[in-house]
Amino acid sequence: MRILVVDDSGAMRAVIRRMLHELYGLATLVFEAESAEEAERAIEGTNFDLVLANWNMPAATGLELLERVRGRFGVRFGFITSDTSEEHQSRARAAGACFVLGKPFTRRALERALDEVLAPPPPASTRSGRAAFDSQQEAKELP
Amino acid sequence: MMSASMAISNLNEITETVWSMVLGMQLSRVASGRGHLGSELFFLGRVSISGHWQGAVTLWCSSALARRAAAAMFGKEVADAEDGEVRDALGELTNIVGGNFKTLLKGECSLSVPNVMDGVPLGELTADPAKNGWFDCDGGTLVVNVEFQEAAP
């Protein structure tokens, strides 16, 4: 499995990388990009099973990255962001994101989000895309 | 509109949650430590809010605590945490705290990317206690500050 983590913070990339290896083992290949531009070049050259991107980054945002690559590469895309406002969630949904996971998040929340996306799809009659998106919203306990 | 006391109360709760979930560290709320910390230098992380609301969320983190936070996020020993990693980690923690605070504000607004400085004396912190939350974390000090107002129509 190949996962690309896009975040301008090396600290957050390290946290996500560690969680991914704890969840799926070291055989999971975790690639890193520190900007949308670097991520776009990586996506052009590698088939990723999933891109996990921060939203708020210098220069291009994670949403702009999704809009650039989705049509060309059809890559599955999830956001990990500190801003889970309704505005961000609806824009992410409209752009084709599979989920929006709020920071901070637990390893279990990351696992739930990824399992839904990476698992083989059930028959189309049993779920809708909207239902899949909604089921992956992190239930946060922040005020 | 959210009052200043409600804002700092929310910010305190967010900060405690972030510190616990991201770093596995527990924060204890304390009274202002301005008196005995006068000579200590801090790392300062700030994100600005713009749009319907104008303001900023700032984290003041004592050097030792900031280094421990970086070590926790990068998965290394405290002594091995480099200055750039400390700034990176505090910037990300500030981004998470500020981003969660922003979601509590009604109306469209956006969050800047974090800006981090080091070697900042505590004297530059606003003296208004209603805007500051003080924490101890195993001897390290963290102060969170929020300043915001509704933008003029």
Side-chain angles (χ1 to χ4, degrees):
Chain A
M1 182 160 62
R2 293 189 178 94
I3 298 176
L4 176 63
V5 178
V6 189
D7 199 307
D8 54 311
S9 167
M12 184 47 64
R13 294 197 307 272
V15 168
I16 296 170
R17 169 187 285 270
R18 194 160 56 244
M19 281 191 182
L20 289 172
H21 281 155
E22 288 168 355
L23 286 169
Y24 302 106
L26 293 174
T28 296
L29 299 178
V30 181
F31 297 76
E32 297 184 19
E34 64 180 9
S35 67
E37 293 78 10
E38 187 180 336
E40 187 172 357
R41 288 194 295 272
I43 294 167
E44 285 172 349
T46 305
N47 285 325
F48 293 105
D49 297 286
L50 179 65
V51 176
L52 292 174
N54 185 19
W55 186 294
N56 189 24
M57 295 186 287
T61 65
L63 181 67
E64 289 167 330
L65 171 64
L66 170 57
E67 291 169 342
R68 284 181 198 169
V69 303
R70 183 168 176 256
R72 285 191 289 157
F73 303 101
V75 65
R76 287 176 290 193
F77 208 101
F79 284 106
I80 300 183
T81 174
S82 61
D83 184 349
T84 56
S85 61
E86 182 52 42
E87 179 207 351
H88 274 199
Q89 294 199 29
S90 60
R91 292 174 70 188
R93 189 183 300 135
C98 300
F99 61 83
V100 176
L101 183 61
K103 297 176 184 176
F105 55 91
T106 62
R107 190 173 60 181
R108 177 72 188 119
L110 179 64
E111 182 180 28
R112 278 201 305 268
L114 267 62
D115 281 355
E116 180 81 16
V117 173
L118 297 173
S125 60
T126 63
R127 68 195 281 273
S128 69
R130 173 61 188 272
F133 184 99
D134 289 345
S135 73
Q136 289 159 44
Q137 302 306 304
E138 166 69 327
K140 296 170 62 173
E141 296 180 353
L142 291 167
Chain B
M1 176 178 167
M2 194 189 306
S3 66
S5 61
M6 190 182 299
I8 194 63
S9 174
N10 285 329
L11 191 64
N12 284 341
E13 284 187 42
I14 291 168
T15 305
E16 288 168 329
T17 303
V18 170
W19 232 251
S20 172
M21 287 181 68
V22 178
L23 305 175
M25 298 179 188
Q26 301 306 311
L27 293 174
S28 303
R29 297 188 194 191
V30 295
S32 165
R34 187 181 287 276
H36 69 274
L37 291 168
S39 62
E40 189 163 348
L41 297 178
F42 283 69
F43 279 84
L44 185 157
R46 174 175 290 152
V47 287
S48 300
I49 298 166
S50 58
H52 187 80
W53 297 93
Q54 307 275 338
V57 171
T58 309
L59 271 60
W60 297 70
C61 193
S62 62
S63 295
L65 179 56
R67 203 161 290 280
R68 279 165 39 210
M73 293 183 79
F74 280 97
K76 53 170 53 178
E77 297 295 324
V78 174
D80 296 333
E82 299 171 4
D83 287 349
E85 292 173 330
V86 177
R87 286 191 289 272
D88 184 316
L90 185 63
E92 180 59 13
L93 292 166
T94 306
N95 175 58
I96 298 173
V97 171
N100 278 280
F101 180 78
K102 176 199 164 260
T103 63
L104 302 179
L105 301 175
K106 295 191 184 303
E108 273 197 26
C109 47
S110 59
L111 196 71
S112 73
V113 292
N115 180 36
V116 179
M117 294 181 280
D118 57 12
V120 183
L122 200 56
E124 295 185 18
L125 175 67
T126 177
D128 186 348
K131 296 178 177 175
N132 300 325
W134 289 76
F135 298 95
D136 173 85
C137 184
D138 289 333
T141 299
L142 176 68
V143 187
V144 293
N145 168 268
V146 59
E147 307 258 2
F148 72 106
Q149 61 181 8
E150 200 162 6

